[in-house]
Amino acid sequence: MSIRYVRDVRRAGAAALLAATLTLTMAACGGDDGKNAKGEKSSTSSAPTKEKETGSAGGETLPDTSKVLVTVKGDKGIDLIVHVAKRDSGGFLTLTGEFKNTTGGRVVTPVQWSGTEEAVARTGPSLAAMTLVDSQEKKRYYVLRDTDNRPLTTTSYDSGIDAGKSLPFFAQFPAPAQTTTKVDLQFPGFTTASIEIS
């Protein structure tokens, strides 16, 4: 076999692979955005109808608000409400909740919420200062980070919360020992609160 023949075969294979990849991408990303020819939303959707949670890329998190584990009054008129503290199968503990502005005006979110670590601060606004304390095991747990030092928590949120509005959040920590059923939540501007793990 000549080198030229091998090169031509490789080019043809690469072109076929590229064409297949583009076809799959178009099929996955294409579609009518859930609208029919009249521009109305269609009734069928492949997405689940329940509320979605997003990762740490800064998307909005919509927590299950059917129950409240704890409500903590903040020093700027913001309530910290925790709805869920759940162990995940991978050895994590995920908190979901919301910060609710109970004042009559807009409240600026404090920079202290992002924590003091320089590597994390470079990733933008976050809730990296949130910690959990396991008094039973005498351990403190910090928000997990990915390989780029981005905290696994709500990030890149707006600089303030309007009157009567809420900022939904999530934060992921290493899970405490299975024998631990309660942890203390600590966050700048709020008093320490005990929450029960489900």
Side-chain angles (χ1 to χ4, degrees), residues 65-161:
T65 58
S66 60
K67 71 177 188 175
V68 174
L69 295 180
V70 69
T71 300
V72 187
K73 300 284 184 188
D75 58 8
K76 296 192 179 292
I78 297 179
D79 288 354
L80 167 57
I81 304 165
V82 178
H83 295 292
V84 178
K86 184 177 180 181
R87 291 179 191 273
D88 297 332
S89 58
F92 308 116
L93 175 66
T94 303
L95 297 187
T96 56
E98 59 188 310
F99 294 96
K100 186 168 186 176
N101 181 352
T102 59
T103 71
R106 182 175 172 84
V107 175
V108 176
T109 53
V111 295
Q112 291 85 356
W113 286 9
S114 298
T116 56
E117 294 179 53
E118 290 181 16
V120 174
R122 283 196 293 266
T123 65
S126 72
L127 307 178
M130 193 175 285
T131 61
L132 298 177
V133 176
D134 179 355
S135 303
Q136 181 180 322
E137 297 289 327
K138 296 181 173 52
K139 290 184 179 179
R140 179 183 299 272
Y141 297 94
Y142 295 88
V143 171
L144 291 168
R145 275 69 160 157
D146 67 11
T147 54
D148 294 320
N149 271 329
R150 289 185 301 250
L152 299 183
T153 183
T154 301
T155 59
S156 303
Y157 46 80
D158 195 12
S159 62
I161 306 172

Side-chain angles (χ1 to χ4, degrees), residues 4-20:
R4 185 174 180 179
Y5 175 77
V6 172
R7 187 177 58 219
D8 290 344
V9 169
R10 284 184 180 165
R11 281 186 185 162
L17 179 61
L18 180 60

Side-chain angles (χ1 to χ4, degrees), residues 25-48:
T25 303
M26 294 291 284
C29 296
D32 63 0
D33 293 332
K35 294 182 179 178
N36 59 22
K38 295 180 182 177
E40 299 168 342
K41 280 206 153 215
S42 62
S43 59
T44 59
S45 172
S46 60

